[in-house]
Each structure stands twice: as C-alpha cells, then as structure tokens.
Amino acid sequence: QVQLAESGGDLVQAGGSLRLSCAASGMIFRVNTMGWYRQALGKQRELVADITSGGSRNYADSAKGRFTISRDSAKNEVYLQMNSLQPEDTAVYYCNADVTTYFSRSTQYWGQGTQVTVSS
C-alpha cells in the first residue's frame, strides 16, 4: 500500500555532515507526521526528529542544534540534515510516516533503514 524509501546513509568522519532522504509512495491520500528514528547496535529505537504536515518540528535532545528535519509535502518526502556528526550518532536510521491512504485510516509505516556510521 505504502512504501518508504530511504537514502543517504554513509560512512563519515566525526564532524562531518550527511543528508538523509525518504520518499513515500503508494496509494496515499495524505501524509501526516513524518519522522526519523534511529537504532544503534544493542539499543532500542529512538526518535531523532519529526515534522507535522503543518511544519511543526520536534527534536530529540541529542539532535537539537545539529540536525534539521524538513519536508516537501508535494513530493511526500522528508529529509534530515545532520551536521557535526559524532561516533555516538552511528546507527541505522529509519524513516517513519503516518499515512492516510484511499483505503485505510491513519497508519504508521516504516522504511527499511539506512546505515549511518561515524568514525572517530
């Protein structure tokens, strides 16, 4: 019904930057909140940032001042600009979207994840 495709993960040195992208596709009527989560090895998945359809942003404390979330609602895409990356940012980053389709109510969808590795 709905697919989320992430891109942009890579290996980067500490202090570097990356931009993650996620595109939602399928039988979409409306994309509501979109966000990025991450899961480091041996840890639980955690919210990094999310953005509502109205543009309100929410950041984890670890992301404030370094990461910026944005979206292009016309394209059903969400982005995460990550600056000043540190080794503790190493994780698999997952795109998440709350989507209303033509056949179902608001439902959470997840992407497959993209690996971000920050070397010291």
Side-chain angles (χ1 to χ4, degrees), residues 16-57:
S17 298
L18 283 175
R19 186 175 187 253
L20 305 183
S21 299
C22 172
S25 61
M27 301 299 291
I28 296 172
F29 174 72
R30 183 179 61 245
V31 180
N32 305 306
T33 298
M34 302 184 81
W36 290 95
Y37 289 70
R38 68 185 183 186
Q39 187 166 18
L41 199 61
K43 295 187 177 181
Q44 290 190 334
R45 191 173 298 188
E46 62 178 6
L47 174 69
V48 177
D50 61 25
I51 182 168
T52 67
S53 57
S56 295
R57 297 170 172 82

Side-chain angles (χ1 to χ4, degrees), residues 82-93:
M82 303 187 293
N83 299 327
S84 302
L85 284 161
Q86 299 301 316
E88 51 267 33
D89 295 315
T90 295
V92 178
Y93 284 69

Side-chain angles (χ1 to χ4, degrees), residues 45-118:
R45 191 173 298 188
E46 62 178 6
L47 174 69
V48 177
D50 61 25
I51 182 168
T52 67
S53 57
S56 295
R57 297 170 172 82
N58 176 48
Y59 294 95
D61 288 343
S62 59
K64 290 178 181 176
R66 299 188 302 130
F67 296 178
T68 301
I69 190 168
S70 60
R71 66 188 285 173
D72 184 332
S73 294
K75 296 181 179 179
N76 291 329
E77 294 182 358
V78 64
Y79 315 99
L80 186 68
Q81 177 66 43
M82 303 187 293
N83 299 327
S84 302
L85 284 161
Q86 299 301 316
E88 51 267 33
D89 295 315
T90 295
V92 178
Y93 284 69
Y94 295 92
C95 177
N96 173 272
D98 178 36
V99 180
T100 302
T101 72
Y102 290 103
F103 307 104
S104 65
R105 298 178 180 178
S106 170
T107 304
Q108 296 281 330
Y109 291 90
W110 292 92
Q112 298 275 23
T114 185
Q115 177 70 47
V116 172
T117 303
V118 185

